[in-house]
Amino acid sequence: MTSADRARRAAEADALCARAYTASGGPDVGAALVAVGGYGRAELAPCSDLDVVLVSDEGVDVGEVARQVWYPLWDSGTKLDHSVRTMPEMVGAADTDLKVALGLLDVRHLAGDPNLTLRLRTTMLAHWRRGSRDRLPALRDLVRSRHERVGELAHLSVPDLKEAEGGIRDATVLKALVATWLVDVPHVELERGRVALLDVRDAVQEAAGRPTDRVAPELWSEVAHRLDLDDARAAQVHVRELGRRIAHISHLTWRRVDAVLAEP
């Protein structure tokens, strides 16, 4: 389970999406198929959905494209999380929904008009930076609520690699905080921990044979084998230490955010 495996899965999915868009007769100008979220970051786990959006400029009719582009993907057995929106609708959705805004920070072009994708990406980043002082308190509340609901990765008996405090979701939020240009994080340490957690999730899904972010007790031995660790206990120690590191970086970064927000 390595970054190369994730890149290979993303490349295969990209080719599938590009073929589907071409077969649908999608225009080369004014419309684009884009990847967002984890797929936008090219970080597909073995059982990940493809999170894609068919986006268009106002006045460009993609109704028939939207009806046609999904069918080849469904027929291939691909699991899709898809939507169809105009550029203004994308901006509006990001402005009203923090989760949408975070996902759109990782927009990546798949097919269609690359200039539209570039405009979408730069627009999303500009909106995020411009509104960050007003939006970060709500994001902090969202993060705290998730931590209270799920618990801490380092201490859960059945760790949730994505949603727990110190998990993959926190690492993604930290990248979004850096994108505000208000604070910085220890990049090398964060990226090392984030990639290691993605490796663990890949191993868990391969071992379980289904989409899951939770490490059930019976999976530890197989996860250890797939990660070239000594045994189940070594795998547990590895995961909990990763959680502690990312949680520490998160605490440190949010203190910096609070200091910045307290400034006039």
Side-chain angles (χ1 to χ4, degrees), residues 21 26-31 57 60 112-113 116:
Y21 185 87
D28 294 328
V29 177
D57 280 321
V60 177
D113 186 348
L116 175 60

Side-chain angles (χ1 to χ4, degrees), residues 37-262:
Y39 182 29
R41 295 187 296 274
E43 293 175 350
L44 291 178
C47 301
S48 289
D49 293 354
L50 301 187
D51 198 350
V52 295
V53 182
L54 178 60
V55 60
S56 65
D57 280 321
E58 282 190 300
V60 177
D61 183 5
V62 293
E64 186 58 31
V65 177
R67 282 187 285 273
Q68 296 295 325
V69 73
W70 313 128
Y71 289 106
L73 300 177
W74 286 327
D75 290 344
S76 72
T78 301
K79 292 172 288 186
L80 281 180
D81 185 354
H82 62 89
S83 60
V84 181
R85 287 182 173 138
T86 64
M87 266 286 286
E89 287 171 342
M90 294 286 271
V91 174
D95 283 346
T96 57
D97 189 324
L98 268 173
K99 293 180 180 179
V100 171
L102 293 176
L104 291 177
L105 292 177
D106 297 302
V107 166
R108 186 166 59 83
H109 183 71
L110 296 175
D113 186 348
N115 290 323
L116 175 60
T117 303
L118 179 60
R119 279 193 284 122
L120 176 62
R121 182 174 177 81
T122 54
T123 298
M124 291 301 103
L125 284 169
H127 271 251
W128 179 245
R129 287 167 183 151
R130 187 160 54 245
S132 59
R133 282 182 174 270
D134 294 329
R135 306 197 75 180
L136 287 183
L139 178 58
R140 180 178 53 204
D141 292 342
L142 201 64
V143 169
R144 285 175 176 170
S145 176
R146 173 169 50 81
H147 291 171
E148 292 170 0
R149 183 178 72 255
V150 181
E152 193 172 346
L153 181 59
H155 301 297
L156 288 169
S157 58
V158 181
D160 187 321
L161 300 169
K162 186 175 183 179
E163 302 293 344
E165 181 177 358
I168 295 167
R169 183 80 72 189
D170 276 356
T172 303
V173 168
L174 287 168
K175 289 168 68 71
L177 293 179
V178 172
T180 66
W181 289 355
L182 294 176
V183 294
D184 203 356
V185 301
H187 290 280
V188 174
E189 186 178 359
L190 172 62
E191 191 61 12
R192 186 184 297 123
R194 193 180 70 85
V195 169
L197 274 181
L198 292 173
D199 290 345
V200 175
R201 183 175 66 175
D202 286 2
V204 168
Q205 292 194 5
E206 289 279 10
R210 57 187 175 85
T212 180
D213 299 307
R214 293 164 62 86
V215 192
E218 66 272 14
L219 296 178
W220 282 115
S221 293
E222 178 65 18
V223 168
H225 172 71
R226 291 177 180 275
L227 295 176
D228 292 324
L229 298 171
D230 290 339
D231 52 26
R233 176 173 173 76
Q236 292 187 52
V237 170
H238 176 63
V239 168
R240 298 183 195 288
E241 181 56 31
L242 290 172
R244 288 189 188 93
R245 291 178 191 171
I246 291 178
H248 173 72
I249 296 172
S250 181
H251 295 161
L252 175 65
T253 304
W254 278 110
R255 283 199 295 270
R256 291 174 177 172
V257 169
D258 289 341
V260 170
L261 295 181

